[in-house]
Amino acid sequence: AMAATGRVMRAVRVFEFGGPEVLKLQSDVLVPVPKENQVLIKVHACGVNPVETYIRSGTYARKPALPYTPGSDVSGVIEGTGDHVTAFKKGDRVFTLETVSGGYAEYAVAAVNRVFPLPDKLDFRQGAALGVPYFTAYRALFQKGCAKAGESVLVHGASGGVGLAACQIARACGLKVLGTAGTEEGMNVILRNGAHQAFNHRDPNYIERIKECTGPGGVDIIIEMLSNVNLDADLQLLAHAGRVMVVGCRGRIEINPRDTMSKESSIIGVSLFLATEEERQECATAVLDGIEAGWLKPIVGLEYPLEKVSKAHEDIICSSGARGKMVLLL
């Protein structure tokens, strides 16, 4: 545990794995103290990612020691620094990719190499939508998917945090971008954020519509948010040497491996958690360049106060269609 200043804060704590109701807002949590190569951040906003609901349920591969505070994508202001920190000073606006102490809290400690400057062009809500979604989208497209200008990409579930990030990045980098969403509003959002064409994945014939659009060649890359539903269909949509990037999954699915042989296609898993230091820095450079250039603009969706964190966890899994990144506001 970290040394404490004696100051207390509000933070969400999980004492047992389970449903959204295990998220408990406590008002007497000690403010953590940054150790060497760590910073303390006053949190203004924190992103909510689907993976945080899987971890909370206890069914995910990574199980934090209980009790813990969820949350990795915070934006805020540097409150203090540990030893050897030269990159940031008190008062700097920042966003994080991960935290040490948990992001659903008024203050969070993070390792300095997981913290990046938040450009003035973006507000704190947008800053909380950067870390996991944009780094994951960049990793899926380029570090693992080897995307090239002129190729086509289908973003399957394009209206959420990672999906919109993938649409913006792919469009800026010269790919032909197709996206799916579950609502009219979601389709409009993705068309405004880089997709050349949008499809409603609740339309029973949407796979045929995508095939009409891509022609006999198929699509080069699929960024897949719900592989347990879509993977079998994805393999039919791929071009020769095409690849499905598995970004999200909520269960099992049956496929025919022969479908990969006929096109020499690949199914590639993506885990930001496994990125090397060099790969993380490459993602950060790409993201900061995109903000500077003006095409990278996080879209914030539903916003919740910390008191409504259980509702946020329920809605991110059960709501009828995402439209941007879900955030907690502090």
Side-chain angles (χ1 to χ4, degrees):
M2 286 171 233
T5 54
R7 286 195 297 162
V8 295
M9 63 173 180
R10 295 189 314 144
V12 174
R13 303 291 280 164
V14 175
F15 295 93
E16 58 179 332
F17 296 113
E21 70 283 350
V22 302
L23 299 162
K24 306 288 187 198
L25 180 56
Q26 313 267 285
S27 54
D28 58 353
V29 179
L30 288 170
V31 174
V33 173
K35 297 180 186 162
E36 63 176 346
N37 298 314
Q38 293 181 342
V39 296
L40 178 67
I41 299 164
K42 182 173 186 4
V43 178
H44 285 249
C46 182
V48 180
N49 295 294
V51 69
E52 288 143 26
T53 71
Y54 313 153
I55 294 169
R56 182 214 71 226
S57 71
T59 58
Y60 194 64
R62 301 208 314 272
K63 274 199 183 67
L66 296 168
Y68 77 99
T69 294
S72 61
D73 294 340
V74 310
S75 65
V77 174
I78 298 284
E79 173 85 5
T81 55
D83 292 342
H84 312 307
V85 173
T86 54
F88 300 104
K89 61 185 188 309
K90 188 173 162 74
D92 286 351
R93 288 163 41 97
V94 294
F95 72 95
T96 69
L97 188 59
E98 276 174 54
T99 71
V100 175
S101 59
Y104 296 6
E106 290 178 318
Y107 293 91
V109 160
V112 73
N113 64 356
R114 306 290 201 281
V115 178
F116 308 95
L118 179 62
D120 291 338
K121 290 185 181 188
L122 301 187
D123 63 28
F124 289 117
R125 294 153 56 253
Q126 292 172 305
L130 283 172
V132 168
Y134 280 88
F135 284 51
T136 299
Y138 184 84
R139 181 169 181 76
L141 283 162
F142 298 106
Q143 292 177 341
K144 296 293 167 186
C146 304
K148 292 185 178 54
E151 287 191 313
S152 57
V153 60
L154 170 65
V155 184
H156 218 155
S159 62
V162 179
L164 286 168
C167 288
Q168 290 178 359
I169 294 170
R171 179 64 177 256
C173 295
L175 282 93
K176 181 184 179 185
V177 184
L178 313 178
T180 75
T183 63
E184 200 64 36
E185 186 183 9
M187 289 167 69
N188 290 331
V189 170
I190 64 183
L191 288 168
R192 287 198 303 271
N193 284 282
H196 291 91
Q197 292 201 253
F199 303 88
N200 189 329
H201 55 63
R202 292 177 202 281
D203 169 355
N205 298 318
Y206 86 101
I207 297 285
E208 294 313 312
R209 302 222 162 127
I210 294 172
K211 282 182 178 163
E212 284 163 23
C213 178
T214 62
V219 67
D220 296 304
I221 302 170
I222 298 175
I223 307 291
E224 182 51 71
M225 311 305 165
L226 199 59
S227 46
N228 55 298
V229 173
N230 300 323
L231 187 59
D232 185 49
D234 288 342
L235 293 176
Q236 325 295 322
L237 289 171
L238 286 177
H240 175 73
R243 45 267 187 223
V244 180
M245 311 310 300
V246 178
V247 169
C249 184
R250 297 181 187 176
R252 302 180 70 87
I253 185 172
E254 188 172 308
I255 62 164
N256 185 346
R258 177 162 301 188
D259 294 336
T260 65
M261 295 162 63
S262 55
K263 295 171 179 172
E264 292 195 324
S265 56
S266 312
I267 302 165
I268 303 171
V270 180
S271 171
L272 188 54
F273 190 63
L274 296 176
T276 64
E277 180 62 31
E278 291 73 24
E279 287 172 331
R280 270 198 307 275
Q281 292 306 324
E282 183 195 348
C283 289
T285 301
V287 165
L288 291 167
D289 285 353
I291 296 167
E292 186 55 39
W295 56 259
L296 196 157
K297 289 199 181 82
I299 306 301
V300 177
L302 296 170
E303 302 172 6
Y304 298 79
L306 215 46
E307 299 76 41
K308 294 268 164 58
V309 63
S310 298
K311 182 88 173 84
H313 267 225
E314 198 176 312
D315 291 351
I316 200 168
I317 296 301
C318 302
S319 69
S320 66
R323 50 168 208 306
K325 173 73 180 177
M326 182 182 285
V327 297
L328 299 172
L329 298 180
L330 284 102

